[in-house]
Amino acid sequence: PPNVTGSLHMGHALQHTMMDVLTRYKRMCGYRTLWLPGMDHAGISTQLMVSRELKKENLTRHELGRERFVERVWKWKKESGGQITKQMRREGVSVDWSREKFTMDEDLSRAVREVFVRLYEEGMIYRGNRIVNWCPNDQTVLSDLEVEKIPQAGKLYYLSYPASDGGAGVTVATTRPETMLGDTAVAVNPNDERYQSLIGATVALPLTGREIPVVADEFVDPEFGTGAVKVTPAHDPNDYDMGVRHSLPQLVVIDPHAKMTEAAGADFAGLDRYKARAKVVEKFEELGLLEKVVDYEFSISKCERCKTVIEPLISTQWFLRMDELRDAALQLLARDHKPQFVPEVPYEKVYSNWLENLRDWTISRQLWWGHQIPAWYTPEGEVVVARSEEEARVKAGTEDLTQDPDVLDTWFSSQLWPFSAMGWPEKTKDLETFYPTSVLMTGRDIIFLWVSRMVMMGMKFMGREPFADVFVTGTILDAHGQRMSKTKMNGIDPLEVFDKYGVDATRLKLASVGSTDIRWSDKQVESYRNFANKIWNASRFCLLNCDGAAVDPDSLKSSGQLALHDRWILSRINKTARDVHAALASYQFHEAVQALYHFFWDDFCDWYIELTKADVTAEQAAPHRSAARTRLLSVLEQALRLLHPFMPYITEELWQQLPGVSKQLLHPAYREAEPTIMLTAYPEANQSLIDDAAEWQMQAVIDLITRVRNIRSEMNIKPSEPIPVLIGAPDEKLRKVFSANTNQISRLLRASEISISDQLDAPRASARAVLFGGAEVAVPLAGLIDFAQERQRLQKEKEKLAAEAGKLEAQLGNPQFAERAPTEKVEEVRARIADIAQRTAQLVQSIQNLG
RNA sequence: GCCCGCUUGGCUCAGUGGUAGAGCACUCGCUUCACACGCGAGGGGUCAGUAGUUCGAAUCUACUAGCGGGCACCA
């Protein structure tokens, strides 16, 4: 579910397209499909958005109070939230709006409370006082995943701490001098010979008058800095751990607003952390205790949302223990290989590595917008966790309860989506029907945040994986290879692309993206827009020229007595259906798009329509004509079905216009529905119509036509000028193919006459070309031919063949090749050499004939 | 620091152990009665580099370079 605050971006459009292609495709295959739409309440984002609105009215959420603030958020959600669902309608996605859910809906909230209570009762959720990531700007704790590490140029300060006994003391290196006010130890590596005498001694912490011990800890790297580390348990995660190991006091010197506390001393209390840093450095310098300052590059933790530097603080929060959940997910992967990531490399490893290093998850947030934690406190401070306040009162035996003010991390509810959105914990029909789901489409950025957590929760509460496959889409970059982002202002608005090129064209482009990153280019969408236009025009031709005929799927069921081009198009369309099925089965969207594009444009438009035109547009009504019209309409109808999952708008529009469309065309599963291409059967490949002979024969015809057109072009013969075409074909089968298709060949070549014989007998002044299968073609050009030019053209052709023959002969000449390569491969090379030899001989003859 | 991905014609990208593909761009020709968002014909690549495995490598392996990701508690 996208964020309620979000609006459609290219990443959504990409995922939605692929999801919708699969949904529509599977539906047309007769499956009961469900794409359940919804929105996420997006805790922090939404709260910030509404807070900004309040600011315009010179109000803060605190002035408004929690209850009225939350009301205000709901009002905002009703009035301006969920832009994205309107935009999804524009995308043409076939989601089930009747099941739309919002993560704060009552039923989903109930699922959240149920999960919380159960996990608490099992001891997996606990409340604890630990060091956490705190955002001083948003005033909330954050999980590790909401913190980003950003490399930054900084300074490393070397601070000297004199020994308590007046000895040499020790120098520590730090990037955060202000935290020294909270130091409660100095640590050295136990094996570091330099510091053996100091271990167990104390040093005098400057500016504070405190004495702190020197402890030995393996964590300390003797190579880094001075080999001695200041230990600030209250303000650094590592120091926190060391503090626990050595039972050091946790002295809090920085508060939640990132200001120094009273404990930092009178000189510093109330100062901002950075001002305090400057002051500490200044004082050390005055005291002669600042040994040096060096430039140092390190990573700093920032709030992913507001980019404020995170302050590690000790705080009481709610945590979810991850070990058991993690183990279940890892076991699912090891034993059942689920989920199946596509592409498997690198995502499966990324996912499992992350799980293996998983630590407890901080689930509470100091926000008002979200699921309030279902925990109540008695006046004595006793905690009661319950599904409702009533239940809590019963459990606590008192009505004097205060609910924990915190809410849960947004992802706590979204991780339940695969089952909470279908009614869990009730045992609903939807759950029974649709859980586990088949496939999740997602960007790689939320594999940890969302995907892994859904797996863990699915295993925990449903006992099964939430989805079988996870398809990870690529990222759409801008034209310069940069990630699109709001701050860079380099994002492309999908809606503008829709306006400019149409939704279908945009979808086709997006579907062909696959799972690698690509740079956005309007040019590619434009070419698919042209494709949509081609579909439109081809359909227009069919509709304008097929009076009296109607779509009839039976007309495509056998190819018995049909002409070559008819047998050929049936073979092509069935092969295309086969290829598209295979491609989609393995999420090869790009291949599916290519297969459809080339079938429709090259095979159907460029050849089939042209070849059948004569029959279809014949003046006289005849059975032959109506059969041709029926076939043309029926092939078009099948093609539209094949294209439909990718291009829903244009295919539906055209399909509805076709004569003869009716309930009869619907998939048996939807027989009673109103006619719509959405519920027709996706064409299955009919193996018996895949006709290699027809494809080979058609290839011969195409080869002939292309060669003669080439002669026309190279010889500068006007397209309107009729030309005689002489064909010589020693092979009888080939002669039959040409003579059976004389009309079509003649039409496409604008031939004045066509003669076919076993031996080419052409005047000297002819342009010639060698065809495959030993055939030749000549175009007599008395008075038009430039002998030198023609000789050059043939010579060029000969050179091409010679180059190819050279390579092949070298291969065959290698004795190891004949020995070790498979026989059919060797035979293939021999056959090709023979073919080239024959063509070359014919070319030589042609050149001689020119004189 | 560790891990991973990418590098194919001018551009954006497919693809594959056995004759290099598409779209766009480019050149030439075309108001051919569906379409100039079109039709027809062309030109253009030693598939980043080096070494290896193999009868054969652009495809597999290793290393190198450039670019881009992800992960990590080095003060």
Side-chain angles (χ1 to χ4, degrees):
Chain A
N3 287 354
V4 64
T5 52
S7 64
L8 197 71
H9 59 60
M10 272 300 167
H12 293 124
L14 176 63
Q15 287 168 31
H16 292 168
T17 296
M18 293 181 176
M19 274 194 263
D20 197 48
V21 166
L22 289 179
T23 307
R24 287 178 183 270
Y25 164 69
K26 285 290 182 181
R27 185 182 300 121
M28 289 173 76
C29 289
Y31 288 90
R32 190 162 173 203
T33 53
L34 170 61
W35 172 357
L36 196 153
M39 275 188 295
D40 193 286
H41 65 279
I44 298 183
S45 298
T46 312
Q47 176 158 329
L48 289 178
M49 174 156 293
V50 176
S51 296
R52 273 199 294 275
E53 270 197 359
L54 287 178
K55 203 174 175 187
K56 286 182 203 149
E57 301 162 30
N58 282 320
L59 274 172
T60 67
R61 68 185 164 103
H62 298 283
E63 284 163 357
L64 210 57
R66 181 167 189 155
E67 199 173 325
R68 286 179 58 203
F69 178 77
V70 170
E71 273 172 24
R72 181 72 192 247
V73 179
W74 279 107
K75 183 164 166 268
W76 173 86
K77 190 237 171 199
K78 199 174 160 204
E79 287 164 8
S80 22
Q83 284 300 319
I84 201 162
T85 59
K86 294 186 193 78
Q87 297 165 330
M88 283 172 76
R89 285 173 162 89
R90 177 86 195 280
E91 290 180 295
V93 294
S94 62
V95 308
D96 183 349
W97 292 111
S98 75
R99 286 180 169 84
E100 184 180 358
K101 293 291 180 191
F102 180 54
T103 50
M104 292 271 283
D105 284 347
E106 182 41 43
D107 46 350
L108 272 70
S109 302
R110 187 184 154 201
V112 166
R113 292 192 298 270
E114 182 69 27
V115 163
F116 189 97
V117 171
R118 289 199 203 173
L119 290 171
Y120 178 80
E121 284 170 354
E122 290 188 42
M124 293 170 73
I125 282 179
Y126 63 94
R127 192 162 174 256
N129 191 42
R130 300 187 10 189
I131 196 150
V132 294
N133 306 302
W134 182 267
C135 177
N137 181 49
D138 295 341
Q139 285 293 300
T140 180
V141 66
L142 299 171
S143 72
D144 294 344
L145 288 174
E146 292 162 296
V147 171
E148 55 185 10
K149 303 275 171 76
I150 298 173
Q152 188 168 306
K155 305 274 187 205
L156 193 57
Y157 302 85
Y158 286 71
L159 309 179
S160 297
Y161 296 173
S164 302
D165 58 9
V170 65
T171 299
V172 296
T174 180
T175 54
R176 298 197 60 193
E178 72 279 13
T179 62
M180 63 77 52
L181 297 167
D183 282 3
T184 54
V186 169
V188 298
N189 190 286
N191 303 316
D192 193 330
E193 294 186 354
R194 293 171 294 179
Y195 298 118
Q196 290 301 320
S197 61
L198 271 174
I199 295 170
T202 58
V203 294
L205 189 65
L207 314 186
T208 66
R210 287 188 287 120
E211 297 204 345
I212 55 174
V214 177
V215 300
D217 196 292
E218 294 282 354
F219 169 79
V220 181
D221 174 7
E223 303 294 314
F224 188 90
T226 61
V229 188
K230 59 189 277 310
V231 184
T232 321
H235 298 290
D236 180 280
N238 296 314
D239 294 5
Y240 176 85
D241 292 341
M242 270 197 278
V244 169
R245 285 198 287 276
H246 300 280
S247 308
L248 300 172
Q250 298 165 344
L251 187 61
V252 175
V253 293
I254 302 174
D255 74 9
H257 294 277
K259 289 194 162 55
M260 307 311 286
T261 64
E262 296 293 333
D267 286 349
F268 299 95
L271 277 187
D272 172 81
R273 55 186 166 178
Y274 296 114
K275 293 220 172 76
R277 176 176 305 175
K279 195 162 180 181
V280 165
V281 172
E282 192 187 311
K283 294 222 168 191
F284 265 75
E285 196 156 19
E286 283 170 12
L287 294 168
L289 296 173
L290 183 64
E291 193 178 303
K292 60 176 170 176
V293 181
V294 299
D295 288 333
Y296 181 59
E297 180 153 329
F298 64 107
S299 286
I300 194 156
S301 296
K302 292 192 175 181
C303 171
E304 182 191 47
R305 189 161 309 279
C306 71
K307 313 297 176 193
T308 302
V309 175
I310 291 299
E311 190 57 54
L313 286 182
I314 293 174
S315 170
T316 300
Q317 300 291 342
W318 291 88
F319 299 92
L320 176 56
R321 192 163 280 143
M322 301 306 290
D323 44 5
E324 182 190 322
L325 296 166
R326 181 235 0 245
D327 291 346
L330 283 172
Q331 196 183 22
L332 178 71
L333 185 67
R335 204 179 48 200
D336 302 335
H337 204 248
K338 283 183 183 167
Q340 171 70 55
F341 283 90
V342 181
E344 190 170 309
V345 177
Y347 299 112
E348 182 175 306
K349 215 170 150 189
V350 166
Y351 165 82
S352 60
N353 285 350
W354 182 79
L355 281 175
E356 281 158 12
N357 299 312
L358 196 49
R359 296 189 297 175
D360 288 2
W361 172 18
T362 313
I363 53 174
S364 45
R365 293 290 179 277
Q366 287 64 55
L367 304 174
W368 287 351
W369 176 242
H371 299 99
Q372 196 168 349
I373 290 177
W376 285 261
Y377 304 100
T378 65
E380 294 76 39
E382 190 197 340
V383 184
V384 185
V385 169
R387 290 164 183 79
S388 65
E389 184 150 9
E390 295 72 59
E391 191 184 309
R393 284 175 183 160
V394 174
K395 278 187 177 176
T398 170
E399 300 208 346
D400 191 5
L401 293 174
T402 317
Q403 187 170 3
D404 192 302
D406 289 354
V407 301
L408 289 162
D409 183 355
T410 291
W411 297 101
F412 193 90
S413 54
S414 24
Q415 68 177 346
L416 311 178
W417 187 261
F419 49 91
S420 66
M422 294 194 283
W424 187 92
E426 299 301 321
K427 289 192 167 109
T428 64
K429 186 90 174 104
D430 274 3
L431 262 184
E432 190 189 316
T433 309
F434 296 112
Y435 193 97
T437 70
S438 308
V439 57
L440 176 77
M441 287 274 166
T442 185
R444 73 170 84 91
D445 51 331
I446 51 177
I447 290 177
F448 306 146
L449 281 167
W450 194 42
V451 179
S452 64
R453 288 169 176 167
M454 283 193 285
V455 173
M456 291 187 274
M457 286 296 132
M459 293 307 286
K460 178 72 184 168
F461 291 98
M462 296 297 293
R464 288 207 61 177
E465 73 284 357
F467 29 73
D469 298 346
V470 176
F471 184 90
V472 185
T473 64
T475 306
I476 298 182
L477 309 169
D478 72 5
H480 308 288
Q482 300 286 309
R483 301 189 78 125
M484 292 184 184
S485 76
K486 278 182 197 154
T487 48
K488 279 189 237 159
M489 302 282 285
N490 63 345
I492 308 253
D493 183 354
L495 295 162
E496 286 175 18
V497 182
F498 294 163
D499 287 342
K500 201 165 168 193
Y501 300 105
V503 172
D504 285 340
T506 313
R507 285 171 58 116
L508 209 52
K509 192 305 182 267
L510 292 171
S512 65
V513 163
S515 45
T516 51
D517 295 356
I518 61 129
R519 295 171 187 220
W520 181 261
S521 159
D522 268 11
K523 280 288 175 196
Q524 291 156 34
V525 193
E526 194 181 347
S527 81
Y528 286 121
R529 187 274 315 266
N530 295 350
F531 180 56
N533 194 50
K534 188 76 179 175
I535 296 171
W536 184 264
N537 282 312
S539 303
R540 204 158 63 100
F541 171 83
C542 298
L543 289 166
L544 287 172
N545 291 286
C546 291
D547 274 356
V551 170
D552 177 13
D554 290 342
S555 70
L556 306 181
K557 281 189 176 148
S558 77
S559 59
Q561 298 304 306
L562 297 180
L564 174 59
H565 62 272
D566 288 320
R567 282 183 283 130
W568 174 77
I569 199 68
L570 289 182
S571 183
R572 293 300 312 145
I573 200 168
N574 280 287
K575 258 191 189 169
T576 303
R578 182 191 69 188
D579 293 349
V580 173
H581 278 288
L584 290 181
S586 52
Y587 301 106
Q588 310 277 321
F589 294 93
H590 183 270
E591 260 175 50
V593 171
Q594 291 307 307
L596 290 166
Y597 184 94
H598 290 294
F599 168 74
F600 198 91
W601 200 315
D602 301 347
D603 298 341
F604 182 66
C605 293
D606 287 352
W607 291 104
Y608 186 69
I609 289 183
E610 295 305 329
L611 289 167
T612 198
K613 218 172 224 177
D615 291 341
V616 166
T617 60
E619 294 281 323
Q620 294 294 315
H624 187 66
R625 189 184 77 175
S626 47
R629 289 181 173 182
T630 301
R631 267 193 305 277
L632 178 61
L633 286 174
S634 305
V635 170
L636 173 65
E637 196 266 341
Q638 294 279 309
L640 291 175
R641 288 195 213 179
L642 286 168
L643 286 163
H644 178 260
F646 298 88
M647 308 179 86
Y649 287 107
I650 194 174
T651 51
E652 181 77 85
E653 173 64 23
L654 290 170
W655 190 85
Q656 295 288 350
Q657 290 182 30
L658 291 178
V661 297
S662 70
K663 286 183 182 182
Q664 296 306 313
L665 298 178
L666 297 183
H667 188 285
Y670 318 117
R671 202 56 105 192
E672 294 313 309
E674 286 302 303
T676 163
I677 194 171
M678 291 187 283
L679 300 178
T680 56
Y682 203 74
E684 290 286 341
N686 181 341
Q687 201 62 38
S688 70
L689 293 175
I690 295 179
D691 184 344
D692 288 334
E695 298 221 10
W696 179 83
Q697 292 166 16
M698 188 66 196
Q699 204 47 55
V701 172
I702 289 174
D703 185 45
L704 167 70
I705 290 171
T706 305
R707 292 284 175 175
V708 176
R709 280 172 172 170
N710 177 257
I711 288 171
R712 244 189 208 287
S713 192
E714 303 252 329
M715 296 286 110
N716 295 315
I717 304 163
K718 280 190 181 165
S720 51
E721 176 83 21
I723 47 168
V725 174
L726 311 179
I727 300 165
D731 179 13
E732 193 194 344
K733 270 193 272 178
L734 213 46
R735 276 206 303 282
K736 275 192 178 162
V737 170
F738 292 140
S739 41
N741 292 281
T742 312
N743 288 344
Q744 274 89 357
I745 294 168
S746 173
R747 184 187 163 89
L748 294 189
L749 287 177
R750 285 198 168 231
S752 55
E753 58 172 299
I754 290 189
S755 87
I756 301 162
S757 60
D758 56 348
Q759 205 59 37
L760 189 64
D761 180 20
R764 176 178 165 252
S766 295
R768 294 152 194 266
V770 177
L771 308 176
F772 75 76
E776 286 180 274
V777 65
V779 178
L781 292 171
L784 287 172
I785 194 161
D786 176 333
F787 285 93
Q789 195 187 341
E790 172 66 357
R791 207 175 290 119
Q792 204 177 8
R793 194 177 69 85
L794 295 174
Q795 195 64 38
K796 207 170 83 184
E797 186 85 14
K798 201 183 123 203
E799 279 159 17
K800 266 194 207 166
L801 289 175
E804 204 185 327
K807 275 193 227 165
L808 292 170
E809 271 155 15
Q811 196 176 3
L812 201 60
N814 182 347
Q816 309 234 53
F817 173 67
E819 233 170 83
R820 305 204 186 175
T823 330
E824 70 263 24
K825 192 49 70 184
V826 179
E827 283 312 308
E828 190 188 307
V829 171
R830 286 218 172 90
R832 274 170 52 203
I833 288 176
D835 181 60
I836 290 171
Q838 189 193 16
R839 285 165 181 252
T840 306
Q842 286 171 324
L843 280 170
V844 168
Q845 188 61 48
S846 296
I847 292 167
Q848 274 176 14
N849 288 346
L850 286 169

